[in-house]
Amino acid sequence: MRTTGPLDRVAGAHDAAVLAVARRGEPVARTGLAEALQVTPQAISKILTRLIARGLIAEIGSFSSGPGKPTTLYRIVPESRRAIGLHLTRTRLHGVVADLTGQILERHSTEITPEQPVPALIASLARTARELSGHGPGELLGVGVGMPGPVDVDEGVHLGSSSRTDAWRGASIRDLLLDELRMPVLVDHDSRAALIGESWSQPGLLDNAVLVLAEEGLGAALRLDGTIVRGAHSRAGEAGHTVVNLSGEPCPCGRRGCAQAEYLAAQRDGDPQRAAEVLATVVLNLVRLLDVDRVVLGGRSVYAHHQVTMDAIREALDQGLHAGAPVHVEVLLSTRGVDLIAAGAACEVLEHEYGLPSALVGPSPR
Amino acid sequence: MRTTGPLDRVAGAHDAAVLAVARRGEPVARTGLAEALQVTPQAISKILTRLIARGLIAEIGSFSSGPGKPTTLYRIVPESRRAIGLHLTRTRLHGVVADLTGQILERHSTEITPEQPVPALIASLARTARELSGHGPGELLGVGVGMPGPVDVDEGVHLGSSSRTDAWRGASIRDLLLDELRMPVLVDHDSRAALIGESWSQPGLLDNAVLVLAEEGLGAALRLDGTIVRGAHSRAGEAGHTVVNLSGEPCPCGRRGCAQAEYLAAQRDGDPQRAAEVLATVVLNLVRLLDVDRVVLGGRSVYAHHQVTMDAIREALDQGLHAGAPVHVEVLLSTRGVDLIAAGAACEVLEHEYGLPSALVGPSPR
DNA sequence: ACAATAAGCCAACGCTGTTGCGTTACGTCA
DNA sequence: TGACGTAACGCAACAGCGTTGGCTTATTGT
């Protein structure tokens, strides 16, 4: 987004809103957009002119129903921009290239040695990014990295996990990778990247949603009233360390009955049913507390037992919400599979460039 | 806020931001505001001119340090606007008048008969509002009502509690009271009103905060990244019905080990220590999940045992956050006491009129 | 008394979306 | 086949936002 004038914020927000509507894939028309953005059709013309000049939107034809001049139709140009997304775990590095709509154009996967020191890690990330950077048309916007554990997205540093010593703690992954690649880099928490990715491809649908990610641990990301929640220290989403069983399993974090401890214990005991029930409790707690209307599930551990997991969650929601009003909560399994986080990281780069700005007035008043 | 032009959104946001800074009570100067809002001093002059014309801001003098023309100082004019706030429970009706800064000017309390039918309830509310409307100078903006149970703030209707039959369920309290008083009315959930009130008087401080309210039940309100969370169906904040003890006390909502059930059971057993520990678990769960840096406690049940409660929460936070990074979470007891919710409801009216707008582009794209 | 300094005002500017009016392209019907 | 009504669209003038550059004002220090 440009930052010259003061009204660019208005223009930028409108541009982003039009792109969001267009991203859904269906052709868009002037009138519909005017209604969606609450501006006059004439303003939409100006906005579309800007977007067309930037190559993000193109005309695709016209549509006539009844008398009068036919409506001109426009579509997003997916191939106009690209972004690289990298999913980093302790043992693997999975990367994708995504176009402007979040569609995956190319994949690349590598094994990495666990507990790799930071310089070697940066080299691996850069190698995968370079491997992917050749594929696909359109301007390459940058590289997004999604990784487990708390991450400060503003500084691009990994804050270190709470339960163990960590070779990556405090590493300024963003700055190091930026120096290496000479390209914008964005580093964020894995589940947050995943949720941004899921909502990028279906704008508006996940305005009030949580994504629960069950990989090595149990994490979550929150989108409330349209905004991703990061929290005061960029640590929001630690659903794995909320207590669900006061007298339960001890957790490395020092407390008893953390959801993650209960979940892992059930898995260790070979009891996927109990694990699913723990997950269902976490989900129901989130729904009750945050009043989201959509829940997205992802992560290897969910994919492995998706049937029992989905059943347990649906049952818990049916029971738990029945007493109250007839609110409907949709439970979705991520359709991206193993690409979930890598694609999300790529979409986060797109969102950073072309997403809706959250605040109108610059920073908060101190 | 005016709605004529398209740029009023920019102006409105800036006006609100200046008011927010001024609300802290200290005199404000052009330069400081320019820095806080990230605009030029010249723009601040224009903004202040608008606000002075509306009577919201006044000049109070000048301040000279070193050579050069002295800095002109401005202050908010608290007495320029007023709002009425009503706190409704099953047995009592407590009302206040607050000025533009949220200071309480007058109180009025009444007993009401439990399970009062809706028409009588409206009459009681209107009587208290009229009683209060005479006090204090300044334009009276409207009436805010804070009440327990889920409330749809957009429609102004009480949605009915989840556990019992309810004479007020579905009552359009806002519309009925509006017809009666011919004055803007705003109805919201009690804990949400409370949090808005607390943050109104200290702008910016509670940008990432939860307020936990322990009255008849256990409720919460969330403010994340500066925005009050309402949720998809205006039901966010049901912290009382999150499970903390999978094999615990049965709850009227149908599940076992809900925080509220555990809390009330501990109180019933005359064990304030255990009740405090349940509350501490709820707070720690909220802090972990949402990464807030401030927690505000309120409600009669907290005031009665504030020492053990605060101690238990501080201890839990010390233990629970020690393993991770050195993040500091401040735990505050509300200073408003029994006025908490009534004052909050009044502030919610003020915020509706003079608060920061959340979104830049009108509605969300469908 | 005079210079140096800092704050604030005025006027012109670029940008936003809006408004009013004219143009274009279609379907319909005589 | 041609006139007419209709709906989408473009052009130009407009009001309002913060910005820019130059000038005025009020204080301190020499």
Side-chain angles (χ1 to χ4, degrees), chain A residues 318-353:
Chain A
D318 275 357
Q319 280 185 6
L321 299 177
H322 195 258
V327 294
H328 180 66
V329 177
E330 205 160 326
V331 184
L332 310 156
L333 192 63
S334 166
T335 54
R336 296 208 133 129
V338 293
D339 294 323
L340 177 61
I341 294 158
C347 290
E348 198 164 344
V349 175
L350 299 166
E351 169 135 326
H352 184 260
E353 201 72 14

Side-chain angles (χ1 to χ4, degrees), chain A residues 255, chain B residues 280 283-285 287-288 292 295 310-323 327-331:
Chain A
R255 295 164 86 203
Chain B
V283 168
L284 186 45
N285 279 356
V287 168
R288 285 232 168 131
V292 293
V295 178
M310 296 292 276
D311 287 350
I313 292 176
R314 291 227 172 84
E315 193 190 321
L317 286 173
D318 275 355
Q319 280 185 7
L321 299 177
H322 194 257
V327 294
H328 180 67
V329 177
E330 204 159 327
V331 185

Side-chain angles (χ1 to χ4, degrees), chain B residues 19 48-58 75-81 100 354:
Chain B
L19 277 176
L48 287 173
T49 306
R50 287 198 300 264
L51 291 171
I52 290 170
R54 294 208 275 164
L56 297 164
I57 293 282
R75 66 168 178 91
I76 198 166
V77 184
E79 61 274 21
S80 62
R81 302 289 191 278
L100 183 57
Y354 299 112

Side-chain angles (χ1 to χ4, degrees), chain A residues 12-30:
Chain A
H14 283 164
D15 292 2
V18 167
L19 277 176
V21 176
R23 214 156 53 225
R24 277 199 281 265
E26 288 158 30
V28 293
R30 218 176 62 133

Side-chain angles (χ1 to χ4, degrees), chain B residues 162-173:
Chain B
S162 57
S163 48
R164 48 183 160 172
T165 56
D166 191 332
W168 299 344
R169 179 185 294 245
S172 321
I173 294 175

Side-chain angles (χ1 to χ4, degrees), chain A residues 255-335:
Chain A
R255 295 164 86 203
R256 284 189 163 274
C258 284
Q260 178 170 305
E262 295 283 320
Y263 184 72
L264 294 179
Q267 283 193 325
R268 186 198 55 211
D269 299 348
D271 189 347
Q273 180 64 34
R274 207 174 92 226
E277 279 162 17
V278 170
L279 201 58
T281 303
V282 172
V283 168
L284 186 45
N285 279 357
L286 287 168
V287 168
R288 285 235 167 129
L289 180 65
L290 304 171
D291 185 25
V292 294
D293 58 0
R294 296 230 156 60
V295 177
V296 185
L297 300 173
R300 278 197 301 283
S301 173
V302 170
Y303 300 143
H305 306 284
H306 68 273
Q307 198 58 54
V308 279
T309 306
M310 296 292 276
D311 286 350
I313 292 175
R314 291 225 172 85
E315 194 190 322
L317 286 172
D318 275 357
Q319 280 185 6
L321 299 177
H322 195 258
V327 294
H328 180 66
V329 177
E330 205 160 326
V331 184
L332 310 156
L333 192 63
S334 166
T335 54

